[in-house]
Amino acid sequence: MRRVLFSRFANYLDEIARLGSIRKAADKLNVSASAIDKQLIHAEEALGVALFERLPRGMRLTSAGEILLHGVRSWQKDFARIRFEIEELRGLRRGEVKIAVSQETVFDFLPGALASFMKDHPRIANHIAVVESDRIRQMVLDGQADFGLTFSPPPQPGVTATRSASFHVRAVVPAENDLRPKKTISLSEFFQRPTIIPDASVHLRDIVDIAAAKSRTRLQPILTTNNLELMRLMVREGCGFGLTAISDKSSTDTKDGLTYLPLGDKSIPPLTLSLIVAPERKFSLTSILARRYFEVYFDDLEQNGGK
């Protein structure tokens, strides 16, 4: 059966069905009628059914022949798509990848995971949508994204997490501050400072609320925002302290005028970042390739941790 489908017989079958004649198909394909007839007989013997009714005025597909022809045409369509995608990967055409991510990934995870892919495949266009975590699953299901990076907790119906990694909550403080001798900050001390925190649209806000409840603190932030980069910038300006989530691979050393201090309260749970896909969807080879780069990056995080 495999040899029937993956041979020139696929073309023979299509032309016989379309023209209703072995002779006409032979003329169209520029092969002998006897060669086509032998291939047809061999296929019918292999399948154990007749594919055509031999009529006085031509050939007509049987029910089995119609099923086989439908399968052949579907295979030819898929094969054409696969060839196109392989050519994309060979750089003969431009492919594209669409990724939906939550804001927490943009600070250091996303650039690190995306950079090696972009450098190795400069002709592939990358489209990154930074959205609320709750939207990512639906974008993946709807085909608006090939895969997503989300902190939304499992289970999520219709999607599968192919990789996951832990992110730890850190206090974002100005590099020049009175806590410089310290390597951690307690929750109570954090909430005694002016706070700049995410609003309810950012998943990290759930962790902030948990932290406030554990320290029995009433939240009174001086600024809430759905933009974590704005939060960091305002912390750097000395307006208050913020919270963010970073992976084990990230350094807590001072950078960009900011320091990222672990919270002294070990009861604050880490966030789990997951790479999610919709397994029922068909994926282009380009998206599969991009996803593999991200999965390798996840694996490196798990193996190396904070090393």
Side-chain angles (χ1 to χ4, degrees), residues 130-173:
V130 181
V131 298
E132 299 173 14
S133 283
D134 292 342
R135 284 191 55 203
I136 294 174
R137 169 183 167 272
Q138 197 59 50
M139 291 182 69
V140 170
L141 289 174
D142 293 344
Q144 298 177 53
D146 296 307
F147 58 91
L149 298 175
T150 179
F151 284 96
S152 292
Q156 295 190 56
V159 299
T160 298
T162 67
R163 293 292 191 280
S164 295
S166 293
F167 276 55
H168 299 281
V169 180
R170 298 286 185 262
V172 186
V173 304

Side-chain angles (χ1 to χ4, degrees), residues 187-188 190-191 197 204-220 243 263 265 267-269:
L187 281 177
S188 59
F190 175 83
F191 283 116
I197 60 175
L204 182 60
R205 176 59 182 268
D206 295 339
I207 302 299
V208 177
D209 290 339
I210 291 172
K214 286 183 179 294
S215 64
R216 298 182 178 180
T217 300
R218 180 183 176 187
L219 281 178
Q220 292 182 311
L243 284 176
L263 293 171
D265 190 330
S267 65
I268 300 300

Side-chain angles (χ1 to χ4, degrees), residues 3 17 21 38 66 137 166 173 191 199 217 247 272 280 287:
R3 285 182 296 178
S21 165
K38 286 180 182 179
E66 289 177 351
R137 169 183 167 272
S166 293
V173 304
F191 283 116
D199 67 15
T217 300
S247 68
T272 299
E280 300 301 318
S287 69

Side-chain angles (χ1 to χ4, degrees), residues 83-95:
R83 285 187 61 184
F84 178 86
E85 291 170 354
I86 290 174
E87 288 176 353
E88 284 183 350
L89 298 187
R90 291 173 57 196
L92 300 181
R93 291 192 175 97
R94 294 183 63 88

Side-chain angles (χ1 to χ4, degrees), residues 144-303:
Q144 298 177 53
D146 296 307
F147 58 91
L149 298 175
T150 179
F151 284 96
S152 292
Q156 295 190 56
V159 299
T160 298
T162 67
R163 293 292 191 280
S164 295
S166 293
F167 276 55
H168 299 281
V169 180
R170 298 286 185 262
V172 186
V173 304
E176 298 295 327
N177 63 78
D178 56 358
L179 298 175
R180 277 182 292 173
K182 296 187 176 182
K183 294 186 177 180
T184 63
I185 182 173
S186 67
L187 281 177
S188 59
E189 187 172 12
F190 175 83
F191 283 116
Q192 287 172 9
R193 306 296 181 109
T195 54
I196 303 170
I197 60 175
D199 67 15
S201 68
V202 181
H203 187 66
L204 182 60
R205 176 59 182 268
D206 295 339
I207 302 299
V208 177
D209 290 339
I210 291 172
K214 286 183 179 294
S215 64
R216 298 182 178 180
T217 300
R218 180 183 176 187
L219 281 178
Q220 292 182 311
I222 60 169
L223 173 65
T224 60
T225 176
N226 65 354
N227 188 305
L228 296 182
E229 181 57 26
L230 175 62
M231 179 199 70
R232 277 188 284 272
L233 291 173
M234 299 311 295
V235 171
R236 191 169 65 190
E237 292 295 325
C239 295
F241 285 7
L243 284 176
T244 193
I246 61 176
S247 68
D248 285 337
K249 192 174 182 180
S250 299
S251 171
T252 57
D253 294 339
T254 299
K255 52 186 175 181
D256 297 329
L258 298 170
T259 298
Y260 300 85
L261 293 177
L263 293 171
D265 190 330
K266 301 298 183 182
S267 65
I268 300 300
L271 285 74
T272 299
L273 175 68
S274 296
L275 189 158
I276 60 170
V277 299
E280 300 301 318
R281 284 184 48 213
K282 288 186 177 180
F283 301 103
S284 70
L285 293 183
T286 309
S287 69
I288 292 172
L289 177 67
R291 189 176 80 208
R292 181 56 185 155
Y293 271 72
F294 276 76
E295 289 172 343
V296 168
Y297 196 80
F298 269 95
D299 293 342
D300 288 344
L301 283 182
E302 182 178 355
Q303 291 173 10

Side-chain angles (χ1 to χ4, degrees), residues 99 108-124 126 249 289-298 300:
I99 309 170
D108 68 337
F109 180 88
L110 181 62
L114 187 60
S116 60
F117 175 70
M118 292 181 66
K119 291 173 182 176
D120 288 348
H121 303 279
R123 298 188 65 182
I124 293 178
N126 300 274
K249 192 174 182 180
L289 177 67
R291 189 176 80 208
R292 181 56 185 155
Y293 271 72
F294 276 76
E295 289 172 343
V296 168
Y297 196 80
F298 269 95
D300 288 344

